[in-house]
Amino acid sequence: AEETAFSLAIPAVIPKRYIENEVLRLQMYKKIAAIRSRDDEDDVIDELIDRFGDVPQETINLIKISHIRYLASLLAITEIHQHENKILFKFAEKNGLSGFGLMNATEKYGAKLFIHGGKEPFVRLTVNPRKNTEETLQFLEILAENRKTGAAV
């Protein structure tokens, strides 16, 4: 599956001040890249706290974004782009969107959600800019729970 083009307006890194040793920092980047669930998020955060102390916000952001990237790959999302308080999700022609997933998302988000079908489907979600990663993650979890299997992923 191709990589999802991604632009959310938030810092997402492991700062050198948090993990000074480059080898350890790269190991944590690898663990973060392997996140597939909320439990994985919690496990990585617990390990970071145990080994390096309180986790900086930009590292929490990175953990959430890694999870978002995984869900985006399951759903064949080609692009996630934020403009002010709107997040645009562009899907490949063959994707994991299901009517049931969209129905559940519409139930939760109502007028905050705009769905466009067709050859180049996209969904636009209005979010609280201060909670953009969490709202993006919750939205993708709803779609992923109800995704069509057999999509080109």
Side-chain angles (χ1 to χ4, degrees):
E2 66 182 71
E3 182 85 0
T4 302
F6 197 85
S7 67
L8 284 186
I10 54 162
V13 294
I14 301 173
K16 285 189 173 119
R17 70 177 190 282
Y18 184 57
I19 303 178
E20 291 177 12
N21 181 301
E22 192 174 345
V23 173
L24 293 177
R25 204 168 51 254
L26 289 173
Q27 285 173 349
M28 289 314 300
Y29 270 114
K30 243 178 132 168
K31 283 187 180 185
I32 290 170
I35 288 174
R36 300 287 178 265
S37 67
R38 296 277 183 168
D39 286 344
D40 291 350
E41 281 185 38
D42 293 343
D43 291 347
V44 169
I45 289 168
D46 288 347
E47 180 177 348
L48 285 167
I49 291 169
D50 289 348
R51 294 176 68 187
F52 308 105
D54 289 342
V55 184
Q57 186 58 51
E58 58 262 51
T59 306
I60 297 285
N61 295 344
L62 182 67
I63 289 166
K64 297 255 178 243
I65 285 172
S66 181
H67 191 181
I68 288 168
R69 282 187 182 278
Y70 169 70
L71 294 172
S73 72
L74 286 182
L75 292 159
I77 294 174
T78 57
E79 186 181 336
I80 297 175
H81 175 77
Q82 180 175 0
H83 181 71
E84 294 172 1
N85 67 337
K86 298 198 183 324
I87 298 179
L88 183 70
F89 302 87
K90 290 185 179 177
F91 292 80
E93 195 175 346
K94 289 185 186 217
N95 59 60
L97 283 176
S98 72
F100 193 62
L102 290 171
M103 186 182 76
N104 286 348
T106 302
E107 221 168 79
K108 180 171 170 73
Y109 296 102
K112 291 180 177 182
L113 192 64
F114 175 81
I115 300 165
H116 178 273
K119 203 170 174 79
E120 293 181 7
F122 70 85
V123 175
R124 190 176 56 229
L125 179 64
T126 304
V127 297
N128 174 340
R130 286 186 303 279
K131 296 181 180 171
N132 58 358
T133 49
E134 185 55 35
E135 289 190 28
T136 298
L137 192 52
Q138 286 176 11
F139 172 67
L140 293 179
E141 284 175 324
I142 290 169
L143 294 183
E145 264 171 38
N146 301 288
R147 76 184 185 281
K148 287 189 301 200
T149 50
V153 239

